[in-house]
Amino acid sequence: LVLFRDACRGGHLRMVQLMCEAGFDPRSDEMNQHYSCVLFAVQHNHADVVRYLLERGICGANDRCDGAVMREG
């Protein structure tokens, strides 16, 4: 969990991808606060990480990441 959050916060897209590909699932019951990983990426303006997580369904419409704002560019 900590490594995944750090990867999201730091904008390390490849690490996020590798962890997901290796079977790490931020949506598991043990990760009840998976939305924070998306928010970390949003807060630090890592659009590529946010996009990847959203494409994988990590942050759906019912999660608490609604209304988060990110600047691109």
Side-chain angles (χ1 to χ4, degrees):
L1 170 61
V2 174
L3 290 176
F4 192 78
R5 285 184 181 172
D6 286 347
C8 292
R9 181 181 312 140
H12 303 290
L13 177 60
R14 189 62 187 137
M15 179 60 72
V16 171
Q17 291 171 327
L18 287 171
M19 291 181 75
C20 288
E21 291 167 7
F24 180 80
D25 185 4
R27 295 167 295 196
S28 70
D29 290 337
E30 295 174 19
M31 293 253 329
N32 196 13
Q33 298 179 342
H34 67 271
Y35 61 88
S36 63
C37 296
V38 175
L39 286 178
F40 282 138
V42 169
Q43 290 169 345
H44 294 276
N45 296 311
H46 299 302
D48 52 347
V49 174
V50 173
R51 190 172 300 112
Y52 177 78
L53 294 172
L54 293 176
E55 287 172 356
R56 291 189 56 88
I58 302 303
C59 184
N62 294 325
D63 293 330
R64 289 183 259 177
C65 60
D66 296 342
V69 177
M70 178 176 52
R71 297 179 309 256
E72 285 201 55

